[in-house]
PDB file of all heavy atoms in Angstrom:
ATOM      1  N   PRO A  94      63.174  74.856 119.683  1.00 50.00           N
ATOM      2  CA  PRO A  94      64.512  75.244 119.213  1.00 50.00           C
ATOM      3  C   PRO A  94      64.616  75.147 117.697  1.00 50.00           C
ATOM      4  O   PRO A  94      64.062  74.241 117.083  1.00 50.00           O
ATOM      5  CB  PRO A  94      65.436  74.227 119.913  1.00 50.00           C
ATOM      6  CG  PRO A  94      64.554  73.065 120.217  1.00 50.00           C
ATOM      7  CD  PRO A  94      63.192  73.638 120.494  1.00 50.00           C
ATOM      8  N   ARG A  95      65.321  76.110 117.113  1.00 51.00           N
ATOM      9  CA  ARG A  95      65.499  76.110 115.670  1.00 51.00           C
ATOM     10  C   ARG A  95      66.575  75.103 115.270  1.00 51.00           C
ATOM     11  O   ARG A  95      67.635  75.034 115.869  1.00 51.00           O
ATOM     12  CB  ARG A  95      65.895  77.508 115.189  1.00 51.00           C
ATOM     13  CG  ARG A  95      64.819  78.550 115.419  1.00 51.00           C
ATOM     14  CD  ARG A  95      65.288  79.913 114.957  1.00 51.00           C
ATOM     15  NE  ARG A  95      65.587  79.905 113.533  1.00 51.00           N
ATOM     16  CZ  ARG A  95      66.103  80.945 112.879  1.00 51.00           C
ATOM     17  NH1 ARG A  95      66.387  82.059 113.545  1.00 51.00           N
ATOM     18  NH2 ARG A  95      66.344  80.882 111.587  1.00 51.00           N
ATOM     19  N   ILE A  96      66.256  74.308 114.256  1.00 52.00           N
ATOM     20  CA  ILE A  96      67.196  73.302 113.763  1.00 52.00           C
ATOM     21  C   ILE A  96      68.011  73.914 112.640  1.00 52.00           C
ATOM     22  O   ILE A  96      67.469  74.322 111.608  1.00 52.00           O
ATOM     23  CB  ILE A  96      66.454  72.045 113.281  1.00 52.00           C
ATOM     24  CG1 ILE A  96      65.648  71.428 114.428  1.00 52.00           C
ATOM     25  CG2 ILE A  96      67.442  71.036 112.713  1.00 52.00           C
ATOM     26  CD1 ILE A  96      64.819  70.233 114.010  1.00 52.00           C
ATOM     27  N   GLN A  97      69.301  74.005 112.865  1.00 52.00           N
ATOM     28  CA  GLN A  97      70.189  74.570 111.851  1.00 52.00           C
ATOM     29  C   GLN A  97      70.631  73.466 110.894  1.00 52.00           C
ATOM     30  O   GLN A  97      71.171  72.441 111.320  1.00 52.00           O
ATOM     31  CB  GLN A  97      71.419  75.202 112.512  1.00 52.00           C
ATOM     32  CG  GLN A  97      71.109  76.383 113.411  1.00 52.00           C
ATOM     33  CD  GLN A  97      70.615  77.581 112.617  1.00 52.00           C
ATOM     34  OE1 GLN A  97      70.875  77.700 111.425  1.00 52.00           O
ATOM     35  NE2 GLN A  97      69.890  78.465 113.288  1.00 52.00           N
ATOM     36  N   PRO A  98      70.377  73.614 109.582  1.00 56.00           N
ATOM     37  CA  PRO A  98      70.805  72.580 108.635  1.00 56.00           C
ATOM     38  C   PRO A  98      72.320  72.464 108.601  1.00 56.00           C
ATOM     39  O   PRO A  98      73.033  73.456 108.600  1.00 56.00           O
ATOM     40  CB  PRO A  98      70.262  73.095 107.287  1.00 56.00           C
ATOM     41  CG  PRO A  98      70.102  74.564 107.486  1.00 56.00           C
ATOM     42  CD  PRO A  98      69.751  74.764 108.927  1.00 56.00           C
ATOM     43  N   GLU A  99      72.781  71.219 108.567  1.00 63.00           N
ATOM     44  CA  GLU A  99      74.218  70.979 108.540  1.00 63.00           C
ATOM     45  C   GLU A  99      74.676  70.810 107.099  1.00 63.00           C
ATOM     46  O   GLU A  99      74.006  70.140 106.306  1.00 63.00           O
ATOM     47  CB  GLU A  99      74.556  69.716 109.344  1.00 63.00           C
ATOM     48  CG  GLU A  99      76.045  69.453 109.475  1.00 63.00           C
ATOM     49  CD  GLU A  99      76.324  68.187 110.276  1.00 63.00           C
ATOM     50  OE1 GLU A  99      75.414  67.342 110.332  1.00 63.00           O
ATOM     51  OE2 GLU A  99      77.429  68.066 110.809  1.00 63.00           O
ATOM     52  N   PRO A 100      75.783  71.429 106.701  1.00 73.00           N
ATOM     53  CA  PRO A 100      76.284  71.254 105.330  1.00 73.00           C
ATOM     54  C   PRO A 100      76.482  69.782 105.007  1.00 73.00           C
ATOM     55  O   PRO A 100      76.883  68.980 105.864  1.00 73.00           O
ATOM     56  CB  PRO A 100      77.616  72.009 105.345  1.00 73.00           C
ATOM     57  CG  PRO A 100      77.478  73.012 106.449  1.00 73.00           C
ATOM     58  CD  PRO A 100      76.625  72.345 107.487  1.00 73.00           C
ATOM     59  N   PHE A 101      76.187  69.425 103.732  1.00 71.00           N
ATOM     60  CA  PHE A 101      76.245  68.017 103.339  1.00 71.00           C
ATOM     61  C   PHE A 101      77.639  67.434 103.545  1.00 71.00           C
ATOM     62  O   PHE A 101      77.795  66.290 103.970  1.00 71.00           O
ATOM     63  CB  PHE A 101      75.822  67.880 101.866  1.00 71.00           C
ATOM     64  CG  PHE A 101      75.777  66.462 101.381  1.00 71.00           C
ATOM     65  CD1 PHE A 101      74.715  65.635 101.686  1.00 71.00           C
ATOM     66  CD2 PHE A 101      76.817  65.940 100.607  1.00 71.00           C
ATOM     67  CE1 PHE A 101      74.679  64.327 101.237  1.00 71.00           C
ATOM     68  CE2 PHE A 101      76.790  64.640 100.156  1.00 71.00           C
ATOM     69  CZ  PHE A 101      75.713  63.821 100.471  1.00 71.00           C
ATOM     70  N   PHE A 102      78.667  68.248 103.251  1.00 73.00           N
ATOM     71  CA  PHE A 102      80.042  67.746 103.353  1.00 73.00           C
ATOM     72  C   PHE A 102      80.702  68.118 104.682  1.00 73.00           C
ATOM     73  O   PHE A 102      81.929  68.091 104.790  1.00 73.00           O
ATOM     74  CB  PHE A 102      80.889  68.280 102.197  1.00 73.00           C
ATOM     75  CG  PHE A 102      80.545  67.674 100.864  1.00 73.00           C
ATOM     76  CD1 PHE A 102      79.813  68.395  99.924  1.00 73.00           C
ATOM     77  CD2 PHE A 102      80.932  66.383 100.560  1.00 73.00           C
ATOM     78  CE1 PHE A 102      79.494  67.839  98.697  1.00 73.00           C
ATOM     79  CE2 PHE A 102      80.618  65.814  99.327  1.00 73.00           C
ATOM     80  CZ  PHE A 102      79.891  66.549  98.397  1.00 73.00           C
ATOM     81  N   ALA A 103      79.875  68.464 105.686  1.00 72.00           N
ATOM     82  CA  ALA A 103      80.457  68.761 106.997  1.00 72.00           C
ATOM     83  C   ALA A 103      81.170  67.532 107.542  1.00 72.00           C
ATOM     84  O   ALA A 103      82.234  67.630 108.153  1.00 72.00           O
ATOM     85  CB  ALA A 103      79.370  69.228 107.964  1.00 72.00           C
ATOM     86  N   ASP A 104      80.579  66.353 107.335  1.00 79.00           N
ATOM     87  CA  ASP A 104      81.211  65.081 107.698  1.00 79.00           C
ATOM     88  C   ASP A 104      81.546  64.370 106.388  1.00 79.00           C
ATOM     89  O   ASP A 104      80.678  63.789 105.734  1.00 79.00           O
ATOM     90  CB  ASP A 104      80.256  64.238 108.550  1.00 79.00           C
ATOM     91  CG  ASP A 104      80.914  62.977 109.087  1.00 79.00           C
ATOM     92  OD1 ASP A 104      81.899  62.521 108.492  1.00 79.00           O
ATOM     93  OD2 ASP A 104      80.427  62.434 110.104  1.00 79.00           O
ATOM     94  N   LYS A 105      82.808  64.440 105.971  1.00 79.00           N
ATOM     95  CA  LYS A 105      83.204  63.900 104.671  1.00 79.00           C
ATOM     96  C   LYS A 105      82.991  62.387 104.587  1.00 79.00           C
ATOM     97  O   LYS A 105      82.595  61.864 103.540  1.00 79.00           O
ATOM     98  CB  LYS A 105      84.673  64.232 104.397  1.00 79.00           C
ATOM     99  CG  LYS A 105      84.944  65.716 104.249  1.00 79.00           C
ATOM    100  CD  LYS A 105      86.409  65.961 103.945  1.00 79.00           C
ATOM    101  CE  LYS A 105      86.710  67.455 103.850  1.00 79.00           C
ATOM    102  NZ  LYS A 105      88.137  67.712 103.578  1.00 79.00           N
ATOM    103  N   ASN A 106      83.257  61.691 105.678  1.00 84.00           N
ATOM    104  CA  ASN A 106      83.116  60.244 105.676  1.00 84.00           C
ATOM    105  C   ASN A 106      81.656  59.844 105.459  1.00 84.00           C
ATOM    106  O   ASN A 106      81.340  58.967 104.636  1.00 84.00           O
ATOM    107  CB  ASN A 106      83.632  59.674 106.997  1.00 84.00           C
ATOM    108  CG  ASN A 106      83.724  58.155 106.982  1.00 84.00           C
ATOM    109  OD1 ASN A 106      84.331  57.551 106.087  1.00 84.00           O
ATOM    110  ND2 ASN A 106      83.100  57.524 107.969  1.00 84.00           N
ATOM    111  N   ARG A 107      80.741  60.500 106.189  1.00 86.00           N
ATOM    112  CA  ARG A 107      79.323  60.197 106.045  1.00 86.00           C
ATOM    113  C   ARG A 107      78.833  60.582 104.650  1.00 86.00           C
ATOM    114  O   ARG A 107      78.032  59.865 104.028  1.00 86.00           O
ATOM    115  CB  ARG A 107      78.520  60.939 107.103  1.00 86.00           C
ATOM    116  CG  ARG A 107      77.029  60.613 107.088  1.00 86.00           C
ATOM    117  CD  ARG A 107      76.296  61.333 108.191  1.00 86.00           C
ATOM    118  NE  ARG A 107      76.367  62.783 108.010  1.00 86.00           N
ATOM    119  CZ  ARG A 107      75.855  63.654 108.870  1.00 86.00           C
ATOM    120  NH1 ARG A 107      75.287  63.235 109.990  1.00 86.00           N
ATOM    121  NH2 ARG A 107      75.936  64.950 108.625  1.00 86.00           N
ATOM    122  N   ALA A 108      79.321  61.716 104.138  1.00 85.00           N
ATOM    123  CA  ALA A 108      78.919  62.151 102.800  1.00 85.00           C
ATOM    124  C   ALA A 108      79.352  61.133 101.745  1.00 85.00           C
ATOM    125  O   ALA A 108      78.607  60.852 100.798  1.00 85.00           O
ATOM    126  CB  ALA A 108      79.508  63.525 102.492  1.00 85.00           C
ATOM    127  N   PHE A 109      80.549  60.562 101.910  1.00 86.00           N
ATOM    128  CA  PHE A 109      81.028  59.557 100.957  1.00 86.00           C
ATOM    129  C   PHE A 109      80.107  58.341 100.942  1.00 86.00           C
ATOM    130  O   PHE A 109      79.707  57.865  99.873  1.00 86.00           O
ATOM    131  CB  PHE A 109      82.453  59.133 101.309  1.00 86.00           C
ATOM    132  CG  PHE A 109      82.936  57.943 100.524  1.00 86.00           C
ATOM    133  CD1 PHE A 109      83.423  58.108  99.235  1.00 86.00           C
ATOM    134  CD2 PHE A 109      82.895  56.659 101.060  1.00 86.00           C
ATOM    135  CE1 PHE A 109      83.864  57.005  98.500  1.00 86.00           C
ATOM    136  CE2 PHE A 109      83.325  55.565 100.329  1.00 86.00           C
ATOM    137  CZ  PHE A 109      83.814  55.736  99.050  1.00 86.00           C
ATOM    138  N   TRP A 110      79.770  57.826 102.117  1.00 90.00           N
ATOM    139  CA  TRP A 110      78.935  56.636 102.171  1.00 90.00           C
ATOM    140  C   TRP A 110      77.530  56.915 101.646  1.00 90.00           C
ATOM    141  O   TRP A 110      76.922  56.052 100.995  1.00 90.00           O
ATOM    142  CB  TRP A 110      78.856  56.096 103.602  1.00 90.00           C
ATOM    143  CG  TRP A 110      80.134  55.406 104.009  1.00 90.00           C
ATOM    144  CD1 TRP A 110      81.077  55.875 104.869  1.00 90.00           C
ATOM    145  CD2 TRP A 110      80.597  54.127 103.561  1.00 90.00           C
ATOM    146  NE1 TRP A 110      82.119  54.982 104.982  1.00 90.00           N
ATOM    147  CE2 TRP A 110      81.851  53.890 104.198  1.00 90.00           C
ATOM    148  CE3 TRP A 110      80.099  53.173 102.684  1.00 90.00           C
ATOM    149  CZ2 TRP A 110      82.579  52.736 103.975  1.00 90.00           C
ATOM    150  CZ3 TRP A 110      80.832  52.010 102.454  1.00 90.00           C
ATOM    151  CH2 TRP A 110      82.064  51.803 103.106  1.00 90.00           C
ATOM    152  N   ASN A 111      77.016  58.108 101.903  1.00 88.00           N
ATOM    153  CA  ASN A 111      75.700  58.452 101.373  1.00 88.00           C
ATOM    154  C   ASN A 111      75.711  58.499  99.850  1.00 88.00           C
ATOM    155  O   ASN A 111      74.838  57.938  99.179  1.00 88.00           O
ATOM    156  CB  ASN A 111      75.244  59.803 101.921  1.00 88.00           C
ATOM    157  CG  ASN A 111      74.859  59.739 103.389  1.00 88.00           C
ATOM    158  OD1 ASN A 111      74.555  58.667 103.914  1.00 88.00           O
ATOM    159  ND2 ASN A 111      74.878  60.877 104.066  1.00 88.00           N
ATOM    160  N   LEU A 112      76.726  59.173  99.280  1.00 89.00           N
ATOM    161  CA  LEU A 112      76.823  59.259  97.826  1.00 89.00           C
ATOM    162  C   LEU A 112      77.103  57.892  97.207  1.00 89.00           C
ATOM    163  O   LEU A 112      76.540  57.550  96.150  1.00 89.00           O
ATOM    164  CB  LEU A 112      77.933  60.245  97.436  1.00 89.00           C
ATOM    165  CG  LEU A 112      77.647  61.729  97.687  1.00 89.00           C
ATOM    166  CD1 LEU A 112      78.883  62.562  97.375  1.00 89.00           C
ATOM    167  CD2 LEU A 112      76.478  62.194  96.838  1.00 89.00           C
ATOM    168  N   GLN A 113      77.940  57.108  97.853  1.00 89.00           N
ATOM    169  CA  GLN A 113      78.276  55.776  97.344  1.00 89.00           C
ATOM    170  C   GLN A 113      77.024  54.901  97.285  1.00 89.00           C
ATOM    171  O   GLN A 113      76.744  54.251  96.269  1.00 89.00           O
ATOM    172  CB  GLN A 113      79.335  55.144  98.244  1.00 89.00           C
ATOM    173  CG  GLN A 113      79.706  53.707  97.911  1.00 89.00           C
ATOM    174  CD  GLN A 113      80.658  53.592  96.736  1.00 89.00           C
ATOM    175  OE1 GLN A 113      80.881  54.555  96.005  1.00 89.00           O
ATOM    176  NE2 GLN A 113      81.213  52.416  96.527  1.00 89.00           N
ATOM    177  N   SER A 114      76.281  54.898  98.350  1.00 89.00           N
ATOM    178  CA  SER A 114      75.083  54.043  98.407  1.00 89.00           C
ATOM    179  C   SER A 114      73.999  54.537  97.450  1.00 89.00           C
ATOM    180  O   SER A 114      73.411  53.746  96.705  1.00 89.00           O
ATOM    181  CB  SER A 114      74.535  54.008  99.840  1.00 89.00           C
ATOM    182  OG  SER A 114      75.512  53.512 100.733  1.00 89.00           O
ATOM    183  N   LEU A 115      73.750  55.851  97.453  1.00 90.00           N
ATOM    184  CA  LEU A 115      72.714  56.397  96.573  1.00 90.00           C
ATOM    185  C   LEU A 115      73.094  56.239  95.103  1.00 90.00           C
ATOM    186  O   LEU A 115      72.238  55.935  94.256  1.00 90.00           O
ATOM    187  CB  LEU A 115      72.487  57.877  96.902  1.00 90.00           C
ATOM    188  CG  LEU A 115      71.796  58.175  98.230  1.00 90.00           C
ATOM    189  CD1 LEU A 115      71.786  59.683  98.503  1.00 90.00           C
ATOM    190  CD2 LEU A 115      70.369  57.643  98.227  1.00 90.00           C
ATOM    191  N   GLY A 116      74.363  56.439  94.781  1.00 88.00           N
ATOM    192  CA  GLY A 116      74.810  56.331  93.399  1.00 88.00           C
ATOM    193  C   GLY A 116      74.641  54.929  92.837  1.00 88.00           C
ATOM    194  O   GLY A 116      74.088  54.750  91.744  1.00 88.00           O
ATOM    195  N   TRP A 117      75.099  53.933  93.571  1.00 89.00           N
ATOM    196  CA  TRP A 117      75.005  52.571  93.063  1.00 89.00           C
ATOM    197  C   TRP A 117      73.580  52.045  93.127  1.00 89.00           C
ATOM    198  O   TRP A 117      73.182  51.230  92.281  1.00 89.00           O
ATOM    199  CB  TRP A 117      75.967  51.653  93.818  1.00 89.00           C
ATOM    200  CG  TRP A 117      77.379  51.829  93.355  1.00 89.00           C
ATOM    201  CD1 TRP A 117      78.381  52.465  94.009  1.00 89.00           C
ATOM    202  CD2 TRP A 117      77.929  51.397  92.111  1.00 89.00           C
ATOM    203  NE1 TRP A 117      79.530  52.463  93.268  1.00 89.00           N
ATOM    204  CE2 TRP A 117      79.291  51.806  92.082  1.00 89.00           C
ATOM    205  CE3 TRP A 117      77.418  50.712  91.014  1.00 89.00           C
ATOM    206  CZ2 TRP A 117      80.122  51.555  91.011  1.00 89.00           C
ATOM    207  CZ3 TRP A 117      78.253  50.451  89.928  1.00 89.00           C
ATOM    208  CH2 TRP A 117      79.591  50.865  89.941  1.00 89.00           C
ATOM    209  N   ALA A 118      72.794  52.529  94.095  1.00 90.00           N
ATOM    210  CA  ALA A 118      71.373  52.160  94.114  1.00 90.00           C
ATOM    211  C   ALA A 118      70.672  52.735  92.885  1.00 90.00           C
ATOM    212  O   ALA A 118      69.833  52.069  92.249  1.00 90.00           O
ATOM    213  CB  ALA A 118      70.718  52.684  95.397  1.00 90.00           C
ATOM    214  N   GLY A 119      71.030  53.959  92.521  1.00 88.00           N
ATOM    215  CA  GLY A 119      70.462  54.551  91.308  1.00 88.00           C
ATOM    216  C   GLY A 119      70.887  53.803  90.061  1.00 88.00           C
ATOM    217  O   GLY A 119      70.072  53.613  89.132  1.00 88.00           O
ATOM    218  N   ALA A 120      72.149  53.375  90.002  1.00 85.00           N
ATOM    219  CA  ALA A 120      72.623  52.613  88.846  1.00 85.00           C
ATOM    220  C   ALA A 120      71.874  51.290  88.725  1.00 85.00           C
ATOM    221  O   ALA A 120      71.507  50.870  87.609  1.00 85.00           O
ATOM    222  CB  ALA A 120      74.125  52.352  88.979  1.00 85.00           C
ATOM    223  N   PHE A 121      71.617  50.625  89.858  1.00 87.00           N
ATOM    224  CA  PHE A 121      70.870  49.362  89.837  1.00 87.00           C
ATOM    225  C   PHE A 121      69.436  49.591  89.352  1.00 87.00           C
ATOM    226  O   PHE A 121      68.921  48.817  88.521  1.00 87.00           O
ATOM    227  CB  PHE A 121      70.863  48.733  91.226  1.00 87.00           C
ATOM    228  CG  PHE A 121      69.959  47.531  91.334  1.00 87.00           C
ATOM    229  CD1 PHE A 121      70.341  46.313  90.783  1.00 87.00           C
ATOM    230  CD2 PHE A 121      68.722  47.626  91.963  1.00 87.00           C
ATOM    231  CE1 PHE A 121      69.495  45.205  90.860  1.00 87.00           C
ATOM    232  CE2 PHE A 121      67.894  46.527  92.053  1.00 87.00           C
ATOM    233  CZ  PHE A 121      68.276  45.314  91.502  1.00 87.00           C
ATOM    234  N   LEU A 122      68.791  50.624  89.849  1.00 89.00           N
ATOM    235  CA  LEU A 122      67.416  50.912  89.432  1.00 89.00           C
ATOM    236  C   LEU A 122      67.346  51.250  87.946  1.00 89.00           C
ATOM    237  O   LEU A 122      66.416  50.824  87.238  1.00 89.00           O
ATOM    238  CB  LEU A 122      66.848  52.068  90.257  1.00 89.00           C
ATOM    239  CG  LEU A 122      66.594  51.771  91.742  1.00 89.00           C
ATOM    240  CD1 LEU A 122      66.128  53.040  92.468  1.00 89.00           C
ATOM    241  CD2 LEU A 122      65.541  50.664  91.894  1.00 89.00           C
ATOM    242  N   LEU A 123      68.329  51.994  87.448  1.00 86.00           N
ATOM    243  CA  LEU A 123      68.342  52.369  86.043  1.00 86.00           C
ATOM    244  C   LEU A 123      68.523  51.141  85.154  1.00 86.00           C
ATOM    245  O   LEU A 123      67.768  50.937  84.183  1.00 86.00           O
ATOM    246  CB  LEU A 123      69.454  53.380  85.792  1.00 86.00           C
ATOM    247  CG  LEU A 123      69.561  53.918  84.359  1.00 86.00           C
ATOM    248  CD1 LEU A 123      68.305  54.685  83.980  1.00 86.00           C
ATOM    249  CD2 LEU A 123      70.786  54.823  84.220  1.00 86.00           C
TER     250      LEU A 123
END
Side-chain angles (χ1 to χ4, degrees):
R95 296 178 61 185
I96 300 176
Q97 296 292 338
E99 185 180 23
F101 183 79
F102 289 104
D104 186 337
K105 295 181 182 179
N106 189 52
R107 184 178 63 183
F109 170 81
W110 286 107
N111 288 339
L112 289 175
Q113 175 79 347
S114 301
L115 289 173
W117 283 105
F121 172 75
L122 291 176
L123 182 63

